[in-house]
Amino acid sequence: MSKTVNNLYKHNATVYKVILFLVTVSAIVYFFPKGGQFKYDFSQGKPWQYNNLIAPFDFAIEKTQEELEEEIKRIEGNSKKYFRCDDEIVKVVNDDYKIRLSLIQSNDSINNEDMETMLLLGQSIIASIYEKGFLEPASSGIIVDNKEIIALKRGNQVEDVLYKSLFTSQNVSELIRSRLGPSPYNYSQSANLTILSEIIKPNIFYDNAFTKKVIEENLKEISPTKGKVSVGQLIILKGDIVEGEKLAILESLKKD
């Protein structure tokens, strides 16, 4: 026992320092503020019960969850739909058309002059269709309003196009028949109709992945705030109803 007491006396300075350190840390932890406290209670639609409130510092006004959701819906609803144009299909169709014509044997009904006429007419019809673009049937239901403007990607270029200007399967069939002339068709007209109907393929496709990418990039640009309040600015008067912009400012101040 005496040995323990002697050790305590010998190291009393160290023990004192340790005890003092522990007491100080405990006091700091106990008395230190746990966080900023907003000393006002308020409810939406109720009068402000305190004195006029002046902004104690600069802070941003945050958008409500409803405002952010509305902005997201607006961006998603107003974003253009992107379609891509496959120019390789035009080349393939023209090559197929020449091959199919070369397989037709000259006879009493189709001489060389008629064959040349068929070729020129067929190439003209193909050019007219792909000048505007032939929409893939599976992509035709993407746009509800045919007066909507879409974004059409041709290589590295993007241009705005009126959706209804694109050819559908029905438009293509009507164009071919109108350009071939009135029925009944002769042999060369019928042959041209068969060939063109079989080889012409859509070259415009809805680009869902790129459309989503553009929308996501636009959503990233949404600001979580809608302005700021400067220090010294009047926020609300005593008796004012807590609603609208005043409510948004109070909520932002409380959060800050």
Side-chain angles (χ1 to χ4, degrees), residues 186-205:
N186 58 33
Y187 183 81
S188 64
Q189 289 174 314
S190 296
N192 227 351
L193 174 61
T194 300
I195 294 172
L196 290 170
S197 299
E198 292 178 353
I199 66 168
I200 292 180
K201 299 176 178 62
N203 71 322
I204 304 295
F205 307 89

Side-chain angles (χ1 to χ4, degrees), residues 107-255:
N107 53 43
D108 294 338
S109 299
I110 304 181
N111 54 38
N112 289 336
E113 184 177 347
D114 289 337
M115 289 286 290
E116 183 65 23
T117 300
M118 283 183 64
L119 174 63
L120 293 176
L121 178 58
Q123 289 178 328
S124 174
I125 291 173
I126 292 172
S128 296
I129 292 171
Y130 290 118
E131 181 181 3
K132 292 185 176 181
F134 181 8
L135 182 66
E136 174 197 28
S139 300
S140 60
I142 302 298
I143 304 297
V144 178
D145 183 4
N146 64 359
K147 295 181 181 179
E148 185 173 333
I149 300 295
I150 64 169
L152 184 60
K153 296 163 54 188
R154 294 182 183 270
N156 295 325
Q157 302 296 320
V158 177
E159 59 178 318
D160 290 340
V161 173
L162 187 63
Y163 178 72
K164 69 177 183 179
S165 68
L166 300 176
F167 278 101
T168 63
S169 298
Q170 182 179 348
N171 298 145
V172 169
S173 178
E174 292 172 352
L175 176 66
I176 293 174
R177 291 180 179 278
S178 66
R179 294 286 291 274
L180 288 176
S183 58
Y185 295 147
N186 58 33
Y187 183 81
S188 64
Q189 289 174 314
S190 296
N192 227 351
L193 174 61
T194 300
I195 294 172
L196 290 170
S197 299
E198 292 178 353
I199 66 168
I200 292 180
K201 299 176 178 62
N203 71 322
I204 304 295
F205 307 89
Y206 176 58
D207 196 333
N208 184 49
F210 193 81
T211 299
K212 286 184 175 180
K213 180 181 178 181
V214 172
I215 292 176
E216 288 172 359
E217 290 298 322
N218 290 334
L219 292 179
K220 289 179 182 178
E221 295 179 2
I222 293 179
S223 172
T225 63
K226 56 178 180 180
K228 62 172 289 188
V229 175
S230 300
V231 59
Q233 181 177 331
L234 176 64
I235 295 177
I236 191 169
L237 295 171
K238 184 176 182 178
D240 281 354
I241 302 300
V242 179
E243 60 184 359
E245 190 71 9
K246 293 184 178 67
L247 175 62
I249 294 175
L250 287 171
E251 291 285 4
S252 299
L253 177 60
K254 181 178 180 180
K255 186 172 181 180

Side-chain angles (χ1 to χ4, degrees), residues 7 12 24 33 44 47 64-65 72 106 140 175 190 196 238 255:
N7 286 333
N12 65 337
T24 303
Q44 182 176 1
T64 65
Q65 186 61 34
I72 290 172
S106 296
S140 60
L175 176 66
S190 296
L196 290 170
K238 184 176 182 178
K255 186 172 181 180

